[in-house]
Amino acid sequence: MHDMTKWSFFLSLLLCIFNTRTCFSNGSDTLSVGQSLSVTQSLISEGRTFELGFFRPGASQNIYLGIWYKNFADKIIVWVANRESPLNPASLKLELSPDGNLVLLTNFTETVWSTALISPILNSTEAILLDNGNFVIRDVSNTSITYWQSFDNPTDTWLPGGKLGINKQTGQVQRLISWKNSEDPAPGMFSVGIDPNGSIQYFIEWNRSHRYWSSGVWNGQGFTAIPEMRVNIYNFSVISNENESYFTYSLSNTSILSRFVMDSSGKMMQWLWLAGSSQWFLYWSQPADQADVYAACGAFGVFGGSTTSPCKCIKGFKPFGQNDWSSGCVRESPLQCQNKEGNRKKDEFLKMSNLTLPTNSKAHEAANATRCELDCLGSCSCTVFAYNNSGCFVWEGDLVNLQQQAGEGVSWAGADIYIKLAAAELQVENGAGKGNKRRTRAILAVVIPVTLITFGLFIYCCYLRKSKLHHKGEEDTSENLLFFDFDTCPNSTNNVPSSVDNRRKNVELPLFSYESVSAVTEQFSHKLGEGGFGPVYKGKLSNGVEVAVKRLSKRSGQGLEEFRNETMVIARLQHRNLVRLLGCCIERDEKILIYEYMPNKSLDFFLFDANKRQILDWGSRVRIIEGIAQGLLYLHRYSRLRIIHRDLKPSNILLDSEMNPKISDFGMARIFGDSETEANTKKIAGTYGYMSPEYAMDGLFSIKSDVFSFGVLLLEIVSGRKNTGFYHRDSLNLLGHAWKSWNSSRALDLMDPVLGDPPSTSVLLRHINIGLLCVQESPADRPTMSDVFSMIVNEHAPLPAPKQPAFATGRNMGDTSSSTSSAGFPSVNNVTVTMMDAR
Ligand SMILES: *[C@@H]1O[C@H](CO)[C@@H](O)[C@H](O)[C@H]1NC(C)=O
Ligand SMILES: *[C@@H]1O[C@H](CO)[C@@H](O)[C@H](O)[C@H]1NC(C)=O
Ligand SMILES: *[C@@H]1O[C@H](CO)[C@@H](O)[C@H](O)[C@H]1NC(C)=O
Ligand SMILES: *[C@@H]1O[C@H](CO)[C@@H](O)[C@H](O)[C@H]1NC(C)=O
Ligand SMILES: *[C@@H]1O[C@H](CO)[C@@H](O)[C@H](O)[C@H]1NC(C)=O
Ligand SMILES: *[C@@H]1O[C@H](CO)[C@@H](O)[C@H](O)[C@H]1NC(C)=O
Ligand SMILES: *[C@@H]1O[C@H](CO)[C@@H](O)[C@H](O)[C@H]1NC(C)=O
Ligand SMILES: *[C@@H]1O[C@H](CO)[C@@H](O)[C@H](O)[C@H]1NC(C)=O
Ligand SMILES: *[C@@H]1O[C@H](CO)[C@@H](O)[C@H](O)[C@H]1NC(C)=O
Ligand SMILES: *[C@@H]1O[C@H](CO)[C@@H](O)[C@H](O)[C@H]1NC(C)=O
Ligand SMILES: *[C@@H]1O[C@H](CO)[C@@H](O)[C@H](O)[C@H]1NC(C)=O
Ligand SMILES: *[C@@H]1O[C@H](CO)[C@@H](O)[C@H](O)[C@H]1NC(C)=O
């Protein structure tokens, strides 16, 4: 083959020397009349997006002429010329012949593929690969006259600008037809095309005839069965005139690449690539469930639902191809009626249960099952029979779309079916002769079902889950996060505390599909940190907006409906000092919350870092304290839900671009199911150092336990030091140190030294006083958040003297100095703990 290549190169060189017109320059985008493209050459579109040339799919030895994206390491083939006529000799070339046709020649003379235009001889044509992936034969003098284009002859891929239509003159439907398998572009069983009857929808068909999925009619904005397409990234148009009618689409954002593919798994897929990302991602695929793909496992293949190997052959059959299930399975031994000489034994029947059969059976009356069996045995075309009180049902020829089922309400779920096999097949297992036929059956009736039952159970589970989702209509309502525009979303409104009930009707929390959340976070790859309730990831929407995605750990005991309601309630809490909840995703056992992204990470990131601490001057610290107080006040008082945060700490205070504080993780206790107010709980969730004594020790929590945490936070902000992990000559923690300094009138020592001289000693002392009031031992002594807020704003009102704070002496609640993370969303330096109270 190598020699052949050399030879062809030498030959084209010779041709070049004798006739400059035939010399094609490698890598240009145009082929002129008489020029040809050899196996080692390629056409590259002007913008270098697409490349046309020869390729070998996978490990295949065959060579095809195709078009692929130029800029991806893996060749993603979008068009194949000779999909039905694979070639393997090296002496191949593509030529634009003098009659204006593109021809693929082998051995330099034999045509294996051609555009077959029967137009008049045109010597003024050229073939050009356009930057949208369309390969066109056009007129040189008037380039808007197109004689032929690859977009009119798609293989399995539909690119923006391409057509999916019908020729009204001939009634011929232009389809995307799947590859047979990943190494064979020959037309496979699955295809998608426009409704030949004229309605604006498309159908996926098996064997170009059996329809198993419909997109639903185009309603001007989307197809009903593809909610993902409702986003406004498309300009989707339907063009209809007397000659043809077709769909075409373009993308409004040219930095997005898109391709619809009729995949050899029987699903239609849309893949997108966003400028700058490292890989293509699957935007949607339909039918959503592989079980809905007709005949996914081919003849005599049984679909079992497992994702790794969904197909199995019925006993007595073996797979036809290695990776081509659409060709199904073939008999290991021929039937007697097919092979009279070699096989003397009468064919027998294998009994199977819980198999969904195709509906194309033929029914006739039969007195009993024995009669029915004899009828099937007597007809060579009969492959399966089943008998119930209505009569005898027989299936002829190849059986397709067999599915293993364990549920009720499925055809033949209860009844047994009998598959005709060569006698040899049934005897292999038993080593038994003809006389043991009954025993053979009996044993098989046990063995086969047992091996299939595990398989069946799995599908049953999938089925249950699927039907659950269907009931709630999840699939129809979930939105696509990637293309969501939060600015036009009704949810993005005011900070004014308002009645939850009034707003109930008009605020809807968007529910996003798991696929889109995964795409936005690039398969959950950029972890920002680990909050108390699960990891947080960064995501980026197509319009550049960044979001934080919190994937809740699975320990929440809530059901989906409860979770959704709860999230909806939390989403209605809107305040400028609370992190905004933008949406959620409930799918595949996942519960995910989508928040606004805070570029400045969390408070601890600044406060406890020797350098970054200096960014927080006295003014911004006061603003942060006030902001937290307002947010907490809103939660406790105005939200009407009286939310107790229970885990207030610097890592849960996020900072926006102007260093305004926003409380995060509020309402988590509700979401996680223990929402009793002022109660005691067996489960203590919180962080040592910020938990009030009554909560840490007795599990009692109330709004006053949040006040305690706020006091600790306030003292930390003023001093720039952590409550725990605090070392001083004679104090165990910051609270103890503050108390000592306060009593010895050296309270100013508490101030963070990086702040320099305090702008006003009285303001500083006032803050320390408030902080100490909040951390008093007895909850009754602590002020409420509204008291705290008025103390902060009324600078001249007298303040009570604080009593000794909790934990000031002796009991240190432990050191939680795990490493500080550089995370952006709730960071992890103080890990939230959950422990079961030992009471
Ligand atoms: C044509 O260009 C491609 C790279 O674009 C190169 O791999 C190939 O060897 C070239 N063929 C010839 C004949 O120069
Ligand atoms: C090309 O020629 C070789 C031998 O010269 C032959 O074996 C092969 O079948 C030919 N190819 C085609 C497509 O006819
Ligand atoms: C192309 O066609 C023009 C007339 O349409 C003719 O004059 C010219 O000779 C032709 N060239 C070739 C190479 O056939
Ligand atoms: C090119 O052809 C189109 C029709 O196909 C016609 O409208 C246009 O005027 C032609 N342009 C020239 C320059 O002849
Ligand atoms: C086209 O529509 C007619 C009536 O609406 C229906 O009977 C026929 O089956 C349809 N054909 C196809 C191929 O859908
Ligand atoms: C596909 O349909 C054609 C006729 O349309 C038929 O001859 C062929 O047997 C079908 N293939 C299978 C696997 O059923
Ligand atoms: C959408 O596409 C159609 C046909 O391709 C075109 O006529 C129309 O101007 C396009 N609209 C927008 C908004 O790009
Ligand atoms: C339809 O086809 C006829 C003949 O092929 C052509 O004359 C006519 O212009 C075409 N109509 C449109 C709208 O393209
Ligand atoms: C187009 O998408 C890219 C991301 O792929 C984004 O950065 C850019 O802002 C978008 N442009 C418009 C106009 O939406
Ligand atoms: C089944 O029906 C046939 C008549 O169609 C009868 O001869 C035979 O005895 C019946 N067998 C049993 C087991 O009832
Ligand atoms: C027998 O099976 C057929 C096909 O599934 C069904 O329509 C019929 O109702 C069944 N009859 C009885 C008595 O179960
Ligand atoms: C078939 O399904 C029924 C109902 O779910 C179940 O009771 C039975 O065990 C299943 N049989 C086999 C062999 O799986």
Side-chain angles (χ1 to χ4, degrees):
M1 183 196 130
H2 199 237
D3 285 349
M4 289 287 241
T5 319
K6 265 189 197 155
W7 187 54
S8 91
F9 180 68
F10 178 66
L11 202 87
S12 47
L13 209 69
L14 269 182
L15 285 170
C16 277
I17 292 165
F18 291 114
N19 184 353
T20 44
R21 267 195 70 206
T22 63
C23 188
F24 163 73
S25 96
N26 190 17
S28 97
D29 64 348
T30 313
L31 205 59
S32 306
V33 170
Q35 287 188 341
S36 61
L37 187 73
S38 76
V39 174
T40 55
Q41 294 177 317
S42 61
L43 290 175
I44 295 171
S45 69
E46 198 181 5
R48 304 187 70 77
T49 311
F50 288 96
E51 182 168 7
L52 177 143
F54 296 89
F55 72 97
R56 284 176 206 273
S60 163
Q61 283 308 300
N62 292 327
I63 297 180
Y64 298 88
L65 176 72
I67 298 176
W68 55 88
Y69 290 95
K70 168 104 186 73
N71 297 319
F72 294 92
D74 295 336
K75 276 186 187 161
I76 298 165
I77 309 295
V78 299
W79 183 74
V80 183
N82 55 321
R83 64 187 307 189
E84 287 173 89
S85 347
L87 302 162
N88 52 31
S91 49
L92 264 179
K93 65 176 181 178
L94 173 74
E95 188 175 278
L96 185 60
S97 72
D99 67 359
N101 271 307
L102 280 167
V103 288
L104 195 53
L105 301 171
T106 180
N107 291 354
F108 297 111
T109 47
E110 291 171 56
T111 303
V112 289
W113 172 86
S114 145
T115 51
L117 294 173
I118 37 173
S119 50
I121 309 292
L122 302 153
N123 68 3
S124 62
T125 57
E126 63 180 6
I128 180 166
L129 178 63
L130 300 176
D131 217 29
N132 60 2
N134 196 6
F135 189 39
V136 177
I137 303 178
R138 65 183 189 188
D139 202 286
V140 176
S141 49
N142 182 347
T143 53
S144 60
I145 301 175
T146 298
Y147 301 111
W148 176 92
Q149 53 183 337
S150 64
F151 272 4
D152 287 338
N153 304 274
T155 50
D156 68 337
T157 302
W158 185 25
L159 295 172
K163 298 177 182 179
L164 208 54
I166 180 171
N167 181 331
K168 287 190 181 165
Q169 244 88 76
T170 62
Q172 200 181 16
V173 175
Q174 201 171 44
R175 294 185 173 90
L176 303 182
I177 301 177
S178 66
W179 284 28
K180 255 195 143 107
N181 58 56
S182 62
E183 297 191 345
D184 186 357
M189 275 298 173
F190 307 106
S191 65
V192 62
I194 195 170
D195 178 11
N197 254 3
S199 74
I200 306 171
Q201 63 180 317
Y202 50 87
F203 297 114
I204 301 184
E205 292 174 341
W206 176 80
N207 198 18
R208 323 290 174 266
S209 52
H210 181 92
R211 253 173 226 174
Y212 61 89
W213 181 84
S214 142
S215 66
V217 175
W218 174 256
N219 62 7
Q221 276 161 346
F223 293 100
T224 45
I226 318 175
E228 292 89 347
M229 277 187 72
R230 265 177 243 140
V231 299
N232 58 1
I233 58 163
Y234 300 98
N235 176 13
F236 200 94
S237 7
V238 183
I239 293 172
S240 193
N241 60 38
E242 78 251 37
N243 296 337
E244 58 180 350
S245 139
Y246 61 88
F247 300 133
T248 184
Y249 74 105
S250 57
L251 291 169
S252 38
N253 185 337
T254 50
S255 67
I256 299 175
L257 298 181
S258 154
R259 59 194 165 96
F260 286 80
V261 178
M262 187 64 234
D263 191 72
S264 52
S265 65
K267 290 181 170 199
M268 170 112 167
M269 299 176 167
Q270 187 182 13
W271 293 85
L272 292 179
W273 179 84
L274 305 179
S277 65
S278 53
Q279 59 195 12
W280 287 83
F281 70 91
L282 182 58
Y283 181 38
W284 58 263
S285 70
Q286 288 286 352
D289 199 325
Q290 186 70 32
D292 295 334
V293 172
Y294 188 76
C297 298
F300 299 108
V302 181
F303 177 78
S306 127
T307 42
T308 47
S309 56
C311 297
K312 292 247 156 96
C313 290
I314 293 183
K315 182 181 151 39
F317 291 81
K318 57 175 191 253
F320 177 77
Q322 283 197 323
N323 47 9
D324 179 17
W325 274 102
S326 65
S327 301
C329 309
V330 290
R331 287 183 189 278
E332 300 206 62
S333 329
L335 295 174
Q336 185 197 30
C337 69
Q338 293 167 330
N339 175 16
K340 288 202 171 85
E341 288 78 41
N343 181 357
R344 300 276 156 139
K345 294 206 169 111
K346 225 165 57 168
D347 296 328
E348 297 188 359
F349 288 91
L350 170 68
K351 177 172 146 184
M352 294 189 80
S353 307
N354 296 355
L355 206 58
T356 310
L357 290 173
T359 49
N360 60 350
S361 62
K362 291 184 180 157
H364 66 264
E365 301 225 334
N368 51 39
T370 317
R371 184 69 245 163
C372 188
E373 176 175 338
L374 287 172
D375 291 346
C376 185
L377 211 50
S379 147
C380 196
S381 61
C382 173
T383 43
V384 175
F385 80 89
Y387 180 82
N388 72 9
N389 294 337
S390 316
C392 179
F393 297 81
V394 299
W395 283 260
E396 296 182 341
D398 290 350
L399 284 184
V400 296
N401 206 32
L402 301 176
Q403 302 204 359
Q404 192 64 47
Q405 298 283 3
E408 301 93 43
V410 171
S411 58
W412 300 107
D416 297 325
I417 59 153
Y418 297 87
I419 294 173
K420 194 197 275 179
L421 290 180
E425 286 302 327
L426 288 167
Q427 281 158 5
V428 170
E429 189 121 321
N430 281 278
K434 217 173 178 179
N436 286 336
K437 191 170 161 187
R438 278 194 193 284
R439 217 187 76 200
T440 309
R441 283 227 191 124
I443 290 170
L444 282 174
V446 176
V447 173
I448 306 278
V450 164
T451 53
L452 289 173
I453 204 160
T454 17
F455 213 44
L457 273 177
F458 180 82
I459 311 153
Y460 185 54
C461 293
C462 296
Y463 175 78
L464 278 186
R465 206 176 69 204
K466 189 181 146 214
S467 53
K468 234 186 217 165
L469 285 178
H470 277 309
H471 283 309
K472 305 204 302 114
E474 297 292 0
E475 290 181 346
D476 292 337
T477 54
S478 62
E479 310 247 12
N480 192 288
L481 178 57
L482 187 59
F483 299 108
F484 203 77
D485 190 355
F486 288 109
D487 292 336
T488 59
C489 162
N491 196 2
S492 66
T493 43
N494 56 58
N495 299 321
V496 184
S498 58
S499 155
V500 168
D501 291 334
N502 284 348
R503 295 163 54 106
R504 182 169 280 267
K505 288 175 214 83
N506 47 28
V507 175
E508 262 301 317
L509 186 69
L511 186 66
F512 297 107
S513 71
Y514 179 82
E515 228 145 46
S516 71
V517 174
S518 169
V520 159
T521 55
E522 298 199 333
Q523 284 74 42
F524 300 97
S525 54
H526 302 295
K527 193 161 165 181
L528 292 173
E530 180 88 35
F533 304 93
V536 181
Y537 302 89
K538 185 173 173 181
K540 196 168 179 184
L541 313 192
S542 74
N543 60 5
V545 170
E546 291 171 317
V547 292
V549 173
K550 178 167 217 143
R551 202 173 183 179
L552 297 183
S553 59
K554 301 210 165 104
R555 70 184 152 97
S556 155
Q558 280 192 332
L560 294 183
E561 203 52 45
E562 282 169 286
F563 172 80
R564 205 175 161 185
N565 290 340
E566 205 56 67
T567 318
M568 215 68 102
V569 167
I570 305 294
R572 286 188 194 103
L573 299 181
Q574 298 202 354
H575 187 275
R576 116 181 86 89
N577 296 113
L578 300 182
V579 171
R580 202 174 129 208
L581 180 61
L582 302 173
C584 67
C585 161
I586 314 171
E587 213 175 300
R588 311 187 188 172
D589 310 329
E590 294 278 0
K591 291 173 187 165
I592 295 171
L593 298 175
I594 291 107
Y595 289 99
E596 61 181 328
Y597 175 74
M598 290 289 134
N600 271 332
K601 311 194 179 185
S602 52
L603 181 58
D604 60 330
F605 183 71
F606 287 91
L607 202 54
F608 304 134
D609 182 288
N611 298 321
K612 299 205 181 68
R613 199 151 88 200
Q614 300 177 6
I615 300 171
L616 296 177
D617 58 12
W618 180 245
S620 56
R621 290 192 199 202
V622 168
R623 245 193 2 260
I624 289 172
I625 292 170
E626 279 183 22
I628 300 171
Q630 287 192 33
L632 206 52
L633 179 60
Y634 174 69
L635 284 181
H636 284 179
R637 182 136 178 194
Y638 293 116
S639 75
R640 302 206 167 185
L641 293 166
R642 297 197 174 275
I643 288 189
I644 300 171
H645 190 293
R646 298 216 272 172
D647 197 15
L648 203 63
K649 56 180 173 181
S651 61
N652 275 339
I653 306 298
L654 308 187
L655 297 172
D656 71 7
S657 52
E658 280 141 20
M659 302 300 264
N660 293 312
K662 295 195 181 221
I663 301 174
S664 77
D665 261 10
F666 56 90
M668 280 299 170
R670 287 180 67 101
I671 285 179
F672 272 76
D674 34 36
S675 57
E676 323 91 82
T677 47
E678 316 217 5
N680 69 37
T681 178
K682 283 190 178 151
K683 202 164 82 189
I684 297 178
T687 304
Y688 292 131
Y690 301 91
M691 277 193 274
S692 62
E694 74 278 8
Y695 181 40
M697 291 170 198
D698 303 320
L700 282 168
F701 67 89
S702 66
I703 53 174
K704 294 293 183 72
S705 28
D706 274 357
V707 170
F708 182 93
S709 311
F710 174 78
V712 177
L713 204 52
L714 190 158
L715 292 172
E716 288 188 335
I717 294 173
V718 170
S719 66
R721 300 160 109 161
K722 262 190 187 148
N723 184 25
T724 54
F726 174 90
Y727 299 104
H728 196 267
R729 280 186 309 281
D730 45 16
S731 305
L732 283 167
N733 57 22
L734 178 63
L735 299 191
H737 179 59
W739 176 242
K740 284 209 175 109
S741 315
W742 180 260
N743 279 339
S744 52
S745 305
R746 286 185 292 107
L748 290 184
D749 292 358
L750 261 185
M751 196 187 72
D752 189 344
V754 306
L755 288 173
D757 285 336
S760 148
T761 319
S762 68
V763 173
L764 176 63
L765 287 176
R766 206 177 165 78
H767 275 88
I768 294 171
N769 191 347
I770 297 168
L772 284 170
L773 287 170
C774 292
V775 296
Q776 295 174 103
E777 178 98 40
S778 158
D781 290 340
R782 293 175 212 147
T784 63
M785 276 322 290
S786 71
D787 297 336
V788 168
F789 190 64
S790 66
M791 288 179 201
I792 292 175
V793 292
N794 298 324
E795 280 180 34
H796 301 295
L799 293 178
K803 295 184 187 160
Q804 173 166 343
F807 308 124
T809 54
R811 290 186 299 190
N812 188 347
M813 284 310 290
D815 190 341
T816 56
S817 54
S818 57
S819 65
T820 302
S821 87
S822 58
F825 208 66
S827 62
V828 253
N829 63 335
N830 277 349
V831 176
T832 301
V833 293
T834 302
M835 60 187 188
M836 297 304 286
D837 194 343
R839 281 172 307 141

